[in-house]
Amino acid sequence: MIRKKAVRKDIEFNMTALPDIVFMLLFFFMVVTVLREDDTRLAIDMPYATHTDVMDGDDSTIQLSLTVDEQQDIIYFLEGGEYKGIETLRANISNLRVRHIADPDIKVKIKIDKSIAMKHVNKVKLILQEYEFYKVAYMIQRKQD
Amino acid sequence: MADIAFLLLIFFMVTTSLQKEKSIAMQLPPPYDGPAGQVSDSRVLSLIINADNNIMMEGEAISQDIQKYIQNHLSSMVGADKKPYISIKLHENSNYNSYIELLAQVKESIKAVKSEYAITMYDTPFNQLSREQYASLSKKLSIRISESQFVS
């Protein structure tokens, strides 16, 4: 008896629709993705400067921002949180000491509105010194010539 | 069609670079409550920002190019083998913008003085110095910046 060998036929997919699917996924993710959003509710108009220091992208950082609201009160933003009053800010900075212990080289990225008076900036600096956050980077906009 | 689209996509993915953040880095000193240290006047460059956000020097407004001015002072101090000490006094009501502007000028002039000395001492641009040269230059040109606040 001759056994008839079953001829296995390769299954072929129709690939015509593949680019469509890939593009659909691409567009979906392009639309959905948001680049790191500004962590502040209020716009901060940072000063311009001619000099810039190189900033290592790998440094671990803490984000701190200062600006004024409509009532001319100073508003502090720290790591996504929004605070009013220097004492509240102090309490929250002291909570970040764990991060400092984990990484002594941690940098504080400070965004300050250019209209803010230096007395407010200096108060913040004193708090940072008190909690041993010595490395700071004042964020700026480069002067456009 | 799909090939071209992917080629373009990959090309732009590779060539695009996101805008880098720009900053001025500073190292804050540890808190200090003790008596004020004495530094001889001849090596102090005292810069003041008053309540009207004008940059002053020894009570007079600087009319010329501030960066050139700071640079000249620093380089004459370094030339006389004195370690320069830049004192920035800020009025409590001066604004952050004027502070950053001054800080940028100070940093630019320090950079200029350093590259000037790199050329005269080693005949090499500052960014091409060897590690030893860099260390000895930094030692000679240790420029300190102190900041304080005043009220009128």
Side-chain angles (χ1 to χ4, degrees):
Chain A
M1 200 172 98
I2 308 157
R3 240 219 210 135
K4 210 177 173 188
K5 220 175 181 181
V7 183
R8 221 161 144 201
K9 221 180 171 189
D10 275 341
I11 308 163
E12 266 185 46
F13 285 105
N14 185 357
M15 305 300 274
T16 330
L18 181 71
D20 292 2
I21 296 166
V22 172
F23 275 112
M24 198 190 70
L25 285 172
L26 173 71
F27 288 133
F28 173 72
F29 284 109
M30 266 170 64
V31 171
V32 170
T33 313
V34 220
L35 288 176
R36 191 180 39 185
E37 253 184 300
D38 254 353
D39 50 355
T40 53
R41 179 175 58 84
L42 298 161
I44 298 173
D45 188 12
M46 290 181 287
Y48 288 113
T50 39
H51 176 92
T52 51
D53 289 318
V54 204
M55 197 149 142
D56 204 344
D58 302 334
D59 285 349
S60 61
T61 53
I62 287 173
Q63 307 264 1
L64 174 63
S65 312
L66 257 83
T67 190
V68 281
D69 67 2
E70 299 81 13
Q71 285 83 44
Q72 298 303 307
D73 288 325
I74 303 283
I75 306 289
Y76 305 93
F77 295 92
L78 179 72
E79 291 291 88
E82 183 178 332
Y83 310 104
K84 223 174 198 177
I86 192 84
E87 287 311 315
T88 339
L89 180 75
R90 179 196 299 276
N92 283 287
I93 288 181
S94 80
N95 289 341
L96 290 174
R97 282 178 95 180
V98 207
R99 300 262 306 268
H100 184 266
I101 294 160
D103 180 7
D105 281 337
I106 198 159
K107 222 178 208 178
V108 183
K109 268 166 75 173
I110 314 179
K111 291 182 182 173
I112 304 177
D113 196 276
K114 57 184 174 191
S115 63
I116 303 258
M118 279 313 286
K119 58 183 170 195
H120 302 296
V121 179
N122 285 333
K123 275 183 202 157
V124 171
K125 266 161 65 180
L126 282 175
I127 296 175
L128 290 173
Q129 282 170 287
E130 190 183 323
Y131 293 105
E132 296 176 21
F133 291 105
Y134 297 136
K135 284 191 171 177
V136 296
Y138 300 114
M139 308 312 288
I140 51 168
Q141 305 179 46
R142 197 170 205 154
K143 205 162 231 159
Q144 279 125 1
D145 325 34
Chain B
M1 159 68 197
D3 290 7
I4 297 167
F6 275 112
L7 187 102
L8 284 173
L9 173 70
I10 291 163
F11 173 75
F12 284 111
M13 267 170 65
V14 170
T15 50
T16 312
S17 61
L18 291 173
Q19 202 187 16
K20 277 199 173 167
E21 289 184 298
K22 296 177 176 89
S23 69
I24 293 183
M26 286 294 276
Q27 174 93 26
L28 301 179
Y32 179 72
D33 285 331
Q38 286 296 314
V39 181
S40 94
D41 276 354
S42 62
R43 64 189 188 92
V44 178
L45 176 61
S46 167
L47 300 162
I48 297 163
I49 299 179
N50 67 11
D52 301 322
N53 299 309
N54 294 322
I55 297 170
M56 320 271 285
M57 153 82 198
E58 315 287 359
E60 282 172 45
I62 305 174
S63 48
Q64 47 171 312
D65 182 2
I66 296 162
Q67 191 189 312
K68 266 261 140 45
Y69 180 87
I70 301 171
Q71 195 182 323
N72 289 342
H73 267 73
L74 290 180
S75 112
S76 68
M77 283 181 201
V78 174
D81 230 8
K82 287 170 182 156
K83 291 204 164 77
Y85 196 95
I86 301 170
S87 150
I88 301 175
K89 295 192 182 83
L90 305 152
H91 189 276
E92 60 162 7
N93 290 330
S94 62
N95 66 23
Y96 179 66
N97 190 42
S98 55
Y99 166 67
I100 286 294
E101 228 166 65
L102 179 60
L103 206 56
Q105 312 256 34
V106 166
K107 285 216 152 196
E108 273 296 306
S109 21
I110 291 177
K111 201 169 122 190
V113 171
K114 279 188 174 170
S115 45
E116 186 186 308
Y117 270 81
I119 296 287
T120 50
M121 282 167 78
Y122 304 109
D123 205 21
T124 344
F126 186 69
N127 53 6
Q128 284 168 28
L129 291 179
S130 72
R131 196 174 286 245
E132 296 81 40
Q133 288 172 333
Y134 181 82
S136 76
L137 190 81
S138 302
K139 205 175 171 191
K140 187 175 164 62
L141 293 171
S142 78
I143 299 169
R144 283 161 175 261
I145 303 175
S146 92
E147 285 167 19
S148 52
Q149 182 182 305
F150 69 98
V151 278
S152 54

